[in-house]
Amino acid sequence: MNTRTRVLTGTALALALGAGTFGAVSASATPASAPASAEAAAPAAKKSDDKNFTTSTHLTVEAASRAAQAALQAAAKENQKVTVAVVDRNGNTIVTLRGDGAGPQSYESAQRKAYTAVSWNAPTSVLAGRLAQTPNLKDIPGTLFLGGGTPVQFKGAPVAGVGVAGAPSGDLDEKFAKAGVDALDK
């Protein structure tokens, strides 16, 4: 880089920093009467904004861990090597426990079953039966229409899903997932 380019680059950088600093100082400078008018406007703004927001219920990490552990223990009692996943209402994984000896495919399958159950607020075994009428359901990304996923409900609304994969049948996977959901009632 030649001297002229360095000088121009340095000058441009200095001007940009100076403008940013001036803008920050100008933005923080407020007239003395501003706080009173801002306080008066705040309650009105709050009331009108309340209708734009909603509150949702989510499982705590502790509750999700308890559900996953209960499902894993139910499978262990029957000598089944499974993976358990618990996802929130949006399908984000809260906790995943891969049991000793569980197959590598069980990790993703458990998450997808949990996601499918919470998305439709129904056990995945029920949803698998719907594929006969609507075969395109299986094309929805992230879903898995095999038994083993159970929704967690709060006041009738889905708030999480428990998915289990790795047992020889979807019925067993779902039995263990239900044991996880049932642990939340205790």
Side-chain angles (χ1 to χ4, degrees):
M1 205 187 277
N2 67 29
T3 306
R4 182 172 185 229
T5 305
R6 286 183 194 168
V7 170
L8 289 175
T9 304
T11 304
L13 182 59
L15 287 173
L17 289 173
T21 302
F22 177 74
V25 171
S26 296
S28 64
T30 55
S33 62
S37 62
E39 289 173 11
K46 184 174 177 4
K47 287 181 184 177
S48 66
D49 288 345
D50 286 349
K51 67 182 176 194
N52 296 319
F53 299 96
T54 186
T55 304
S56 60
T57 303
H58 295 274
L59 283 183
T60 63
V61 171
E62 187 271 328
S65 298
R66 190 171 64 242
Q69 195 66 269
L72 197 61
Q73 288 172 352
K77 284 181 186 175
E78 296 190 28
N79 291 323
Q80 298 302 315
K81 297 166 177 32
V82 301
T83 297
V84 181
V86 180
V87 302
D88 67 12
R89 176 63 183 109
N90 300 319
N92 299 310
T93 303
I94 302 171
V95 66
T96 302
L97 297 177
R98 184 173 176 269
D100 294 334
Q105 79 290 352
S106 65
Y107 190 88
E108 182 179 350
S109 297
Q111 289 177 325
R112 291 175 60 191
K113 288 178 182 184
Y115 172 76
T116 304
V118 73
S119 294
W120 276 274
N121 195 22
T124 53
S125 61
V126 171
L127 297 169
R130 294 181 190 170
L131 285 178
Q133 297 100 350
T134 317
N136 297 14
L137 283 178
K138 70 181 182 324
D139 297 332
I140 298 172
T143 59
L144 186 58
F145 292 90
L146 298 174
T150 304
V152 176
Q153 298 178 344
F154 182 73
K155 297 182 180 179
V159 295
V162 177
V164 176
S169 74
D171 292 340
L172 280 174
D173 285 340
E174 200 157 303
K175 175 182 174 183
F176 305 143
K178 182 152 177 23
V181 173
D182 291 346
L184 296 172
D185 295 333
K186 295 177 182 177

